[in-house]
Amino acid sequence: RFQPNLNAKCYLAETFNIPKTHKVALYTGHMEERKGVKVIIEAAIKLKEMHCEDDWHFLICGNRSGEEKQFLEILADTQAKDSVTFAGYRDDVDKIAPGCDIGVIASTGWDSFPMSSLEMAACGLPIFVSALQGLVETIDEGSTGELFEPGNSTELALLIFQIGQNNLKLQQYSNAARERILEGYSLQVQKNRLMQEITNCVGL
């Protein structure tokens, strides 16, 4: 289901009114404090304060009714107030993700190896993740994504700013992210590894 789609920018424009010319950072997940949504909101604000030449939009998926209120209050009097969309609970992430440019997982508490990291990377999204146990395994740093200090919205904003200034690097990361999934995380690869382990055990 999750794969690159050159027409996905049109889907974002039609569904969320995000201009096709804007770069989009995607978050999909729960809204509890440990997931670091506030860090993403703060990074969106700081990116605007950097006078970034690129127009970035932040698409937040997974909020239930009312959960976005606290974040909208933070955004209310900032330049980023129109640069963040809370999309709610979605069943069309496979159509949304390919139209985005990067994925962000900004957890500040415990986290593991979220399925969202596989889904975004399968669509060719480089992922910027907090340097937490579990999350560090979701990327190859400097190849398919970048790590930042948990809770450090300034560092996250700077990383997004830098990747936005280098379209060639963004494309290289995108290609590498997709390739990493195909080589190591596809269903067939997992089946093959499982069968190999079973064979090894039987052989013992």
Side-chain angles (χ1 to χ4, degrees):
R1 285 177 55 203
F2 292 87
Q3 56 185 304
N5 181 352
L6 296 177
N7 296 318
K9 285 283 186 185
C10 295
Y11 188 78
L12 295 188
E14 294 166 1
T15 307
F16 304 110
N17 247 354
I18 300 175
K20 298 176 186 177
T21 55
H22 286 204
K23 289 184 170 69
V24 181
L26 174 67
Y27 167 80
T28 63
H30 298 297
M31 296 290 119
E32 61 256 41
E33 185 176 353
R34 72 173 179 85
K35 296 299 286 186
V37 176
K38 183 180 178 182
V39 178
I40 299 174
I41 300 304
E42 291 173 346
I45 294 170
K46 288 173 181 176
L47 195 61
K48 280 292 184 181
E49 292 172 350
M50 291 177 184
H51 304 291
C52 182
E53 294 178 4
D54 292 293
D55 287 316
W56 278 94
H57 199 95
F58 290 75
L59 184 57
I60 312 294
C61 300
N63 57 295
R64 299 182 188 277
S65 179
E67 288 183 325
E68 73 282 2
K69 183 178 178 182
Q70 59 175 312
F71 305 116
L72 293 175
E73 289 174 352
I74 296 172
L75 287 163
D77 297 320
T78 73
Q79 298 178 59
K81 64 181 180 180
D82 297 322
S83 298
V84 179
T85 295
F86 287 89
Y89 239 62
R90 310 294 306 188
D91 60 5
D92 58 349
V93 176
D94 57 323
K95 296 179 182 177
I96 291 171
C100 301
D101 297 274
I102 65 169
V104 180
I105 304 174
S107 301
T108 56
W110 66 270
D111 214 330
S112 54
F113 194 121
M115 181 63 73
S116 62
S117 67
L118 297 174
E119 294 170 349
M120 291 189 289
C123 292
L125 273 60
I127 310 174
F128 294 174
V129 301
S130 302
L132 292 173
Q133 185 176 4
L135 287 181
V136 297
E137 299 177 21
T138 65
I139 64 167
D140 290 332
E141 186 179 11
S143 174
T144 70
E146 298 288 351
L147 299 173
F148 61 92
E149 180 187 7
N152 193 332
S153 57
T154 300
E155 185 180 3
L156 174 57
L158 184 59
L159 287 170
I160 296 174
F161 176 84
Q162 291 172 339
I163 199 72
Q165 298 292 299
N166 192 334
N167 287 329
L168 176 59
K169 185 175 182 180
L170 182 60
Q171 187 59 56
Q172 290 172 339
Y173 273 41
S174 173
N175 293 342
R178 170 72 176 172
E179 192 62 29
R180 182 173 187 260
I181 297 299
L182 294 177
E183 290 182 357
Y185 295 94
S186 70
L187 184 59
Q188 189 58 53
V189 167
Q190 298 304 309
K191 287 180 178 178
N192 291 345
R193 287 177 176 170
L194 180 59
M195 291 306 299
Q196 185 60 54
E197 289 301 319
I198 293 173
T199 301
N200 291 342
C201 289
V202 172
L204 292 175

